[in-house]
Amino acid sequence: MIIALNNKCNLTREEFLKYQEKLENMKELPPMILCPTNLYLGEFRLSNMKLGAQNVSSKGCGAYTGEVSASQLKSIGVAYCIVGHSERREYQKETDQEINEKIKQLLKEGIFPILCVGETKEERERNLTTKKITEELEEATKDLTDQEKQQIIIAYEPIWAIGTGIIPTNDEIKEIMTTIKEVFPNNKVLYGGSANESNIDQLKEITEIDGYLLGGLSLKPENLKIFLEKLKN
Ligand code: PGA
């Protein structure tokens, strides 16, 4: 089971260090992937976790002010990187082509991409969920070899479920997971979007889920611990 923690743009440095200490002291936690804000990547000290970034430049090193390249991430120990998160697609207007370029940069450095795909509420209501997700996956993995494709962890995150406290029904999630796995049978597929300690009993019945991408819950270590205990039992 893969558990990735997406801190998004949260915590001051002091808060991050305290947060990290708290996680380190919670001894029985399973191995997870922590994706802090870029600024704190170099502060990562957790013995039982792998380091992930939340974004990467679609270009290599060079005259790209404000960007961070895959080789730079690699040089400080980043092993995973989220790409194509719906917040970046919306606010930074990230295109499928850029996402494809980012994935190529990451794979060149041996960093595992965590590729996010998902539909809006409107797309779901118009029955366009499968089409949207299939297109996003196709575009993001364009020109990649089968071997390269297998390095990608896919995260299905319905946009309307992110940070809202609302999740799809198990049947709805199952359907999308199955669709993704038909095309990508060798990839791990995560669920993300308001997964928490209250709905994990329901979610864990979905056997197609290989793990979770956690946003809000990642910032609450006590609740996260309950979530992980319920997931295990
Ligand atoms: P959430 O975020 O768990 O707060 O809904 C998940 C994500 O955006 O990756």
Side-chain angles (χ1 to χ4, degrees):
M1 188 67 46
I2 299 171
I3 307 287
L5 307 177
N6 177 9
N7 287 169
K8 306 194 180 184
C9 183
N10 288 296
L11 308 176
T12 61
R13 177 173 179 268
E14 205 181 323
E15 285 166 346
F16 175 73
L17 295 178
K18 277 196 196 137
Y19 165 80
Q20 192 170 229
E21 211 179 295
K22 204 172 216 176
L23 288 176
E24 185 68 9
N25 290 333
M26 290 182 160
K27 289 281 178 243
E28 330 77 275
L29 297 184
M32 292 185 275
I33 302 163
L34 178 66
C35 307
T37 309
N38 264 0
L39 262 184
Y40 312 138
L41 287 171
E43 311 262 14
F44 177 75
R45 299 283 180 273
L46 292 168
S47 50
N48 196 25
M49 290 208 196
K50 295 272 190 248
L51 183 57
Q54 297 175 18
N55 183 37
V56 64
S57 172
S58 59
K59 310 271 194 280
C61 278
Y64 305 108
T65 304
E67 292 290 338
V68 177
S69 74
S71 59
Q72 291 174 318
L73 292 178
K74 181 75 183 175
S75 73
I76 59 158
V78 169
Y80 296 83
C81 182
I82 299 171
V83 270
H85 193 284
S86 61
E87 286 151 13
R88 294 201 58 84
R89 291 181 194 257
E90 182 181 354
Y91 305 127
Q92 271 70 39
K93 304 285 172 251
E94 247 177 40
T95 62
D96 284 321
Q97 192 190 329
E98 278 169 314
I99 291 162
N100 176 249
E101 285 164 12
K102 288 180 181 208
I103 289 176
K104 287 176 184 163
Q105 292 289 337
L106 292 170
L107 292 175
K108 218 162 54 183
E109 298 298 331
I111 298 174
F112 295 106
I114 303 175
L115 167 64
C116 301
V117 295
E119 82 287 3
T120 62
K121 182 123 200 81
E122 196 208 336
E123 285 160 348
R124 174 161 284 276
E125 282 163 3
R126 293 173 57 207
N127 248 333
L128 295 172
T129 303
T130 305
K131 182 171 180 284
K132 169 80 177 294
I133 286 157
T134 311
E135 279 172 6
E136 282 184 337
L137 287 170
E138 236 168 59
E139 294 296 317
T141 58
K142 213 169 164 172
D143 308 324
L144 298 183
T145 63
D146 284 348
Q147 209 186 351
E148 285 172 329
K149 282 182 191 172
Q150 286 175 26
Q151 309 296 309
I152 301 173
I153 297 168
I154 299 167
Y156 168 52
E157 298 206 306
I159 297 169
W160 50 276
I162 296 176
T164 60
I166 305 164
I167 60 167
T169 65
N170 279 16
D171 284 346
E172 285 170 334
I173 298 175
K174 216 178 160 76
E175 191 188 333
I176 302 303
M177 292 280 166
T178 308
T179 307
I180 295 173
K181 287 185 174 209
E182 269 164 21
V183 191
F184 293 87
N186 299 311
N187 294 65
K188 297 282 183 207
V189 186
L190 316 183
Y191 170 79
S194 293
N196 60 37
E197 74 284 7
S198 309
N199 54 34
I200 187 58
D201 282 330
Q202 176 194 325
L203 287 169
K204 76 177 185 188
E205 284 170 14
I206 308 169
T207 51
E208 288 80 1
I209 295 180
D210 299 311
Y212 294 89
L213 181 53
L214 305 170
L217 190 68
S218 77
L219 299 166
K220 301 179 198 146
E222 283 84 8
N223 301 50
L224 174 66
K225 195 161 183 239
I226 301 172
F227 173 93
L228 295 166
E229 273 160 11
K230 287 188 175 180
L231 184 59
K232 197 171 64 182
N233 297 321

